Amino acid sequence: MEQLVIEGGHSLKGVIRISGAKNAALPALAATLLAGGEFEIRNLPELRDIRTFLSLLEGLGVTNSPEAQEPGKGRRVVLNTISISNHEAAYDLVRTMRASVLILGPLLARTGAARISLPGGCAIGARPIDFHLKGLEHMGARLTLKAGYVEAKASRLTGAEIYFDVPSVTGTENLMMAASLARGKTTLKNAAREPEVAALGQMLQAMGARIQGLGSSVIEIEGVKELKPVSWDIIPDRIETGTYLMAAGAAGGELRLQNACPEYLEAVIAKLREIGLEIESKGQELWVRRKRRLKSADVTTLPYPGFPTDLQAQFMLLMAISEGLSVITETIFENRFMHVPELNRLGADIRVDGRSAIVRGVKELTAAPVMATDLRASACLVLAGLAAKGKTTISRIYHLDRGYEHMEKKLAGAGARIQRIRAEMPY
Ligand code: EPZ
C-alpha cells in the first residue's frame, strides 16, 4: 500500500506545468465512439482514470496505439474505432469509475445498442444518472433495467427538447454526444456550462456535428448522419490549477503555473485574492504568492461559472489556517465533507452543520497520520501536510492518482519535502 509522507513548514518556490484535464479527456475519449476511423488525442494526463477508460474502450473493440510522451506536452494516443465489437461496460469497471457512463450516449447513437452497469454510489454522494436515462428515453431509446444493468436500444435516436432539473456535467455531455447523430434537432435546457462541456462540443463540431450555444445553458444540436475522426488537444486542468494556487496558500512562497487557463478560474482567483493571495496572469501562465497569513472568507459551491465543488476541500484547508471564521456551503453533492474529520485530526477546528461547514481558523496544524477518502479530499490532505508542523503520512493515495498527474513530483520540484513510500500495512 503506497503512502505519501510530507514534512510541512517549507515554503514553495518554482514552476509547475499543468496537465490536460481529466474531466475533458474522459468525454473526448468517449466521443471517439461516434465515428469509425483513426483519432489522435493529445495532451492526455497520465492518470489511472485515463488508463481505465482506454481499457474500457478496448473492451468495446477500439484499438489504441502505445501512448508516446511528447516532450513538454501530455501523452498522445491514437485510437482506431473502425469496428465496435461489444456494447457492454461491465460492473467492475463502472464501479471504479463513474465516468464510464459517458459511453452510453455515443455507443447507442453509433451502434443502436448499449448495456452498462448502473454506477453504484460513491464516497461523495448517491450520484444517480436519471437525467442521462430520461434524456435518452425522450430521444426514443428503449431502456430496460436488469440485474443492475441498463440496456438501451434505438435504431436511430430522434431530437427532443430536454430540461435538466439541475445542470449535470456528464449528463449534458452524454446527451450532446447522442444528439449529434440523432434525426432532427435536440435542445438541452439548463445545460452545464463547464469549460470541459464546451471543449467536448468543439471537438464534436470539428467531427462535423452542428452545435450552437456552447458555454451557455441552452445548447442546440442539429443531428447529422455521420461524423468523422479528428486530432484533438485536451484543454488544461482548471481543478489541478486551482489546487496548486492553493498549495502556495497552504505552504507559503510563490509558484509559476505554466499551460494554465486563467479564464476558467475567475471565481476561484477572485476568492483567493480576497483572502490575501497575490495572483497575476499572463496568457497561459499564472503566478501566485503568499506573503502573510490568509484572511477568512465564505464560499458556496455552484455550477460553473460559480466556485467549483472540486476545489471546496482544498479551499477549506486554507480557511482552517486563516485568521477568522469561514462558512463553506456545498450545494452540489450531499456528502462532500469527508475531509473534515481528517483535517480535525491535524488540529483544525471545523464543525459540519448540514450542507455547511463552519471553519474557525487556527494558527497552526500539527502533523498526524491521515487517510484519503476521495479524489479531491486527498488533494486537500496533501495541502494540509504542506502546512502542518512535522511529518504527515497520507494513506489510500490511490484516490489521488485518479486525478493528479505525479503530484508529489510536481510539488517536490517546487521545494516541497514530499515522497511516496510503500508501507507494509500492519494488517
Ligand atoms: C462531473 O461529475 C465531474 N466528473 C465531477 O468531478 C464534478 O464534481 C461534477 O461534474 C460537478 O462539477 C466528470 O466530469 C467526470 P453532475 P458528474 O452530473 O457529471 C445530480 C472530480 O473530482 N445528478 O454535474 O457526475 C448529482 O447528484 C469529479 O473530478 C442527478 O441527480 O456530476 C449532483 O448533485 C467528482 N442525476 C448534481 O446533479 C443525474 O442524472 C451535479 O452532478 C446526474 C446528476
Side-chain angles (χ1 to χ4, degrees):
M1 189 79 134
E2 292 186 318
Q3 291 179 322
L4 284 181
V5 180
I6 307 166
E7 189 185 301
H10 302 277
S11 61
L12 299 177
K13 184 154 178 50
V15 180
I16 289 180
R17 182 189 178 280
I18 298 300
S19 305
K22 165 178 84 82
N23 291 350
L26 296 171
L29 292 173
T32 64
L33 292 168
L34 285 165
E38 205 160 79
F39 284 81
E40 181 194 37
I41 308 288
R42 294 184 298 254
N43 197 32
L44 277 173
E46 196 182 334
L47 299 170
R48 209 157 67 104
D49 274 12
I50 301 298
R51 287 191 291 276
T52 305
F53 210 98
L54 287 171
S55 51
L56 174 64
L57 291 178
E58 270 182 336
L60 302 175
V62 176
T63 56
N64 72 73
S65 72
E67 298 167 21
Q69 179 78 28
E70 294 188 47
K73 292 271 303 185
R75 307 196 55 91
R76 170 180 165 277
V77 70
V78 174
L79 296 160
N80 193 314
T81 57
I82 199 76
S83 73
I84 304 292
S85 52
N86 180 13
H87 306 112
E88 175 168 326
Y91 174 65
D92 61 340
L93 265 176
V94 179
R95 172 171 63 87
T96 57
M97 188 184 59
R98 312 178 37 70
S100 315
V101 71
L102 283 168
I103 65 163
L104 182 56
L107 198 54
L108 185 59
R110 166 93 182 276
T111 70
R115 182 171 188 271
I116 75 153
S117 161
L118 274 175
C122 84
I124 62 177
R127 300 190 69 190
I129 58 166
D130 51 324
F131 301 163
H132 303 236
L133 303 179
K134 266 194 305 191
L136 290 173
E137 266 184 332
H138 221 40
M139 295 171 75
R142 292 179 311 290
L143 302 183
T144 45
L145 298 190
K146 229 185 304 185
Y149 278 77
V150 58
E151 298 186 3
K153 289 211 182 324
S155 47
R156 189 178 181 201
L157 294 166
T158 46
E161 180 162 297
I162 293 162
Y163 183 82
F164 286 95
D165 297 352
V166 293
S168 162
V169 172
T170 49
T172 303
E173 291 166 345
N174 229 340
L175 296 179
M176 188 163 63
M177 289 189 281
S180 300
L181 286 177
R183 180 185 299 109
K185 179 176 168 182
T186 297
T187 306
L188 302 178
K189 294 195 165 180
N190 201 20
R193 299 172 53 193
E194 273 69 3
E196 294 77 24
V197 177
L200 172 67
Q202 284 149 13
M203 177 183 171
L204 295 172
Q205 288 171 328
M207 291 167 62
R210 293 162 58 192
I211 303 176
Q212 303 287 331
L214 290 175
S216 81
S217 55
V218 179
I219 300 177
E220 293 179 334
I221 305 107
E222 193 65 52
V224 294
K225 278 189 95 39
E226 205 175 21
L227 294 167
K228 60 183 186 344
V230 290
S231 284
W232 196 252
D233 283 307
I234 300 302
I235 59 171
D237 193 322
R238 64 191 167 95
I239 304 302
E240 184 192 22
T241 307
T243 303
Y244 287 121
L245 289 174
M246 295 185 198
E254 60 179 87
L255 286 177
R256 182 180 303 284
L257 305 181
Q258 293 178 332
N259 189 43
C261 264
E263 66 272 22
Y264 294 159
L265 283 161
E266 285 181 1
V268 175
I269 291 172
K271 190 53 71 175
L272 294 181
R273 283 177 172 149
E274 184 188 331
I275 64 171
L277 279 181
E278 293 172 72
I279 299 178
E280 301 297 334
S281 70
K282 189 158 170 278
Q284 300 286 293
E285 277 208 2
L286 270 167
W287 172 84
V288 57
R289 177 166 66 176
R290 187 198 90 188
K291 274 178 71 171
R292 62 184 66 78
R293 191 176 178 195
L294 299 172
K295 298 192 294 291
S296 60
D298 295 348
V299 147
T300 297
T301 64
L302 288 169
Y304 194 87
F307 193 96
T309 173
D310 291 348
L311 285 170
Q312 176 258 105
Q314 300 90 316
F315 186 78
M316 188 183 289
L317 177 274
L318 295 187
M319 292 300 94
I321 54 173
S322 71
E323 212 160 350
L325 190 101
S326 154
V327 178
I328 296 178
T329 304
E330 171 58 59
T331 69
I332 309 292
F333 291 113
E334 68 269 26
N335 184 32
R336 206 169 197 179
F337 286 142
M338 313 262 277
H339 41 287
V340 169
E342 300 302 316
L343 289 178
N344 285 340
R345 284 177 49 74
L346 298 171
D349 178 356
I350 307 170
R351 186 169 52 81
V352 173
D353 177 8
R355 283 273 179 141
S356 293
I358 293 90
V359 187
R360 202 179 299 280
V362 295
K363 230 167 146 18
E364 193 172 70
L365 296 178
T366 318
V370 288
M371 191 169 71
T373 50
D374 61 270
L375 169 54
R376 305 304 173 181
S378 41
C380 154
L381 294 177
V382 172
L383 270 49
L386 296 176
K389 195 159 165 297
K391 265 191 187 174
T392 297
T393 308
I394 306 174
S395 53
R396 299 193 180 178
I397 55 168
Y398 53 84
H399 289 293
L400 191 75
D401 296 336
R402 298 192 53 174
Y404 288 93
E405 186 179 67
H406 308 316
M407 189 174 200
E408 74 274 13
K409 285 191 193 131
K410 291 188 176 184
L411 285 170
R417 305 283 173 83
I418 179 171
Q419 56 173 342
R420 182 182 288 252
I421 62 165
R422 176 164 289 288
E424 297 317 316
M425 297 319 284
Y427 42 83

